[in-house]
Amino acid sequence: MRNLLENFGKIDEEDKFVIFVNKKAPSEIFFNFPNFYYFKIPIDPQNYLLRIFCEQIILPFLSLKYKIDVLFTPAVFSPYFCFCKKVTTIHDILYLNDKRLNLKNLYLKFITSAAIRSDKIITISNFAKNDILEKFNIKNKISVIYEAAKIFILKNHKNTIEKFNIKNPYFFYIGLIVPHKNIERMLRAFKIFSEKYKDINFILAGPERKKLLDLDLLIKNLSLRERVKYLGIVNEEEKFALYHNALAFIFLSLHEGFGLPILEAQSSGVPVLASNLTAIPEIAGNSVLYVDPYDIEDIVRGMEKIAFDEKLREDLIKKGYENIKRFSWERAAKETLRVLKEVYENSSNK
């Protein structure tokens, strides 16, 4: 959202943007463009009941109060009833496969229904689009707009390495710690790899969903405590320092709507070992080394190649820099604005 807002402000000086934020909104999404107006809704986003009330009741009335022409929600959390046209981003719908009966899943199904009622839907890859179309008949109102990697200028990457007491060389993974990210097979493959190559470690970072996957227990059961370190959630500076120093980035997801960490790794000059499934080939093209994420032996072979084949590493780094040129936040912002204006113009012509 930060990248979209920054580029909205640079591109569009004529339209008025009213930006609704909660009381914990990070400072980085606040910009001083003269046509930006921020309205802070005094709720804590971690209070789920208040958040639902805000999304479904407060937001529609605020859109009416501020005479919003088009309400854009950059994630699936969209109000069911709205007093204006709306555009919603649906990144993917993997969560609909979760059959557990609880309040969270019921609400996710409800808001997905709300999102599908939008005048236009934005998604982030052709794979995600086809996935959505398999479940919902909305062919004429869905647009694919790619995300992009942030180009981050590191000030001092050594501070992060020292802070976390990291030993080089290491493989790196960042993302959700959940089953569909294929963490267990990734670490089982690394267990085999580590028995042969004693000097390479594995660093993981990102938010953990302990009810779905207990990473600490997995590391303990695989006897990898001396070789694998989990850092939890890291900030932007730390994240890109970890990319920059990595031997390779490992991303073996079983289901991915886009795969933004791949582009972040490539922007940091790091070769990538990746799953050959879902949206990843669409986003990475020929710029990564692919493996079958279900085949542990194939993953081990991939780890060996990306760690020790210098020609392959140089080739992947070069191709990675070329690949990220296909993606741009400026282009994403222009295409998003085009969708918003199209919805507004269609409503004005009726």
Side-chain angles (χ1 to χ4, degrees):
M1 200 60 238
R2 176 197 62 227
N3 291 309
L4 283 179
L5 284 174
E6 182 178 8
N7 283 281
F8 284 169
K10 291 176 179 178
I11 294 164
D12 189 340
E13 298 178 353
E14 297 177 358
D15 293 302
K16 179 179 177 180
F17 293 84
V18 180
I19 302 146
F20 301 114
V21 297
N22 63 61
K23 69 179 184 180
K24 290 192 174 180
S27 59
E28 61 190 26
I29 67 165
F30 290 86
F31 295 94
N32 292 319
F33 297 113
N35 54 337
F36 275 27
Y37 302 86
Y38 287 87
F39 182 88
K40 186 170 285 190
I41 305 170
I43 68 153
D44 181 346
Q46 299 305 315
N47 184 322
Y48 292 111
L49 289 178
L50 268 181
R51 178 174 165 173
I52 289 170
F53 179 74
C54 174
E55 289 166 354
Q56 299 303 325
I57 306 298
I58 301 298
L59 197 54
F61 279 100
L62 285 175
S63 68
L64 183 63
K65 177 182 177 180
Y66 286 93
K67 300 178 181 178
I68 303 298
D69 294 305
V70 181
L71 178 67
F72 171 50
T73 54
V76 75
F77 298 93
S78 173
Y80 197 87
F81 297 105
C82 195
F83 299 106
C84 63
K85 297 290 181 179
K86 65 175 182 173
V87 174
T88 304
T89 297
I90 303 178
H91 291 86
D92 65 51
I93 54 170
L94 176 63
Y95 56 85
L96 292 180
N97 294 334
D98 189 340
K99 305 300 181 185
R100 290 175 298 170
L101 288 175
N102 54 41
L103 181 61
K104 179 182 176 182
N105 282 348
L106 287 172
Y107 186 57
L108 284 170
K109 288 177 172 61
F110 173 80
I111 59 171
T112 303
S113 177
I116 297 305
R117 290 161 55 94
S118 300
D119 297 274
K120 281 281 186 180
I121 292 164
I122 292 170
T123 193
I124 53 177
S125 67
N126 286 299
F127 167 80
K129 175 182 176 179
N130 293 332
D131 216 19
I132 295 167
L133 290 177
E134 281 187 14
K135 288 192 180 290
F136 304 102
N137 184 24
I138 51 169
K139 191 171 184 178
N140 294 327
K141 62 177 182 179
I142 187 165
S143 298
V144 173
I145 299 177
Y146 287 144
E147 297 177 337
K150 178 182 179 181
I151 306 302
F152 193 90
I153 308 301
L154 278 171
K155 295 175 183 176
N156 190 345
H157 60 86
K158 290 183 180 178
N159 286 349
T160 297
I161 304 305
E162 291 171 0
K163 173 184 175 180
F164 292 115
N165 191 26
I166 291 171
K167 298 175 183 176
N168 285 324
Y170 63 88
F171 292 139
F172 181 49
Y173 165 85
I174 189 166
L176 286 171
I177 308 297
V178 291
H180 81 265
K181 296 294 186 179
N182 210 20
I183 306 296
E184 183 169 345
R185 287 189 188 87
M186 182 171 71
L187 291 185
R188 288 190 180 280
F190 180 70
K191 169 71 173 177
I192 297 168
F193 175 92
S194 67
E195 289 170 353
K196 189 174 180 181
Y197 307 101
K198 306 293 185 182
D199 61 337
I200 296 176
N201 298 305
F202 208 126
I203 306 297
L204 298 92
E208 185 180 19
R209 301 287 187 265
K210 212 171 184 68
K211 289 182 180 179
L212 300 177
L213 176 64
D214 189 330
L215 181 59
D216 186 61
L217 182 61
L218 176 61
I219 292 170
K220 179 183 175 183
N221 288 343
L222 292 173
S223 302
L224 284 172
R225 287 198 184 282
E226 300 300 315
R227 304 291 295 277
V228 175
K229 181 175 283 193
Y230 170 56
L231 307 181
I233 297 172
V234 296
N235 63 36
E236 289 288 283
E237 179 89 22
E238 291 164 346
K239 176 175 73 171
F240 280 93
L242 291 164
Y243 277 128
H244 179 80
N245 285 275
L247 178 66
F249 180 63
I250 314 294
F251 197 71
L252 304 175
S253 181
L254 302 175
H255 189 287
E256 204 64 35
F258 187 81
L260 188 58
I262 291 172
L263 301 186
E264 291 180 337
Q266 291 179 330
S267 75
S268 303
V270 178
V272 177
L273 179 70
S275 162
N276 60 6
L277 299 180
T278 63
I280 295 174
E282 178 184 346
I283 302 309
N286 69 346
S287 65
V288 305
L289 177 62
Y290 290 108
V291 293
D292 178 350
Y294 289 102
D295 186 337
I296 290 177
E297 290 183 3
D298 195 32
I299 297 170
V300 175
R301 286 192 293 270
M303 288 178 172
E304 290 177 332
K305 285 180 184 177
I306 208 159
F308 303 115
D309 187 333
E310 286 301 325
K311 186 176 183 305
L312 173 67
R313 289 175 53 79
E314 290 173 10
D315 186 49
L316 292 178
I317 291 169
K318 182 179 177 182
K319 286 180 176 177
Y321 281 129
E322 287 301 311
N323 186 53
I324 62 172
K325 293 177 183 177
R326 298 194 294 129
F327 306 91
S328 157
W329 279 117
E330 180 183 0
R331 186 182 307 125
K334 284 179 178 177
E335 291 176 1
T336 303
L337 285 173
R338 178 183 54 76
V339 171
L340 299 177
K341 289 173 184 288
E342 180 184 305
V343 168
Y344 169 68
E345 287 165 4
N346 287 344
S347 64
S348 300
N349 293 334
K350 290 182 180 178

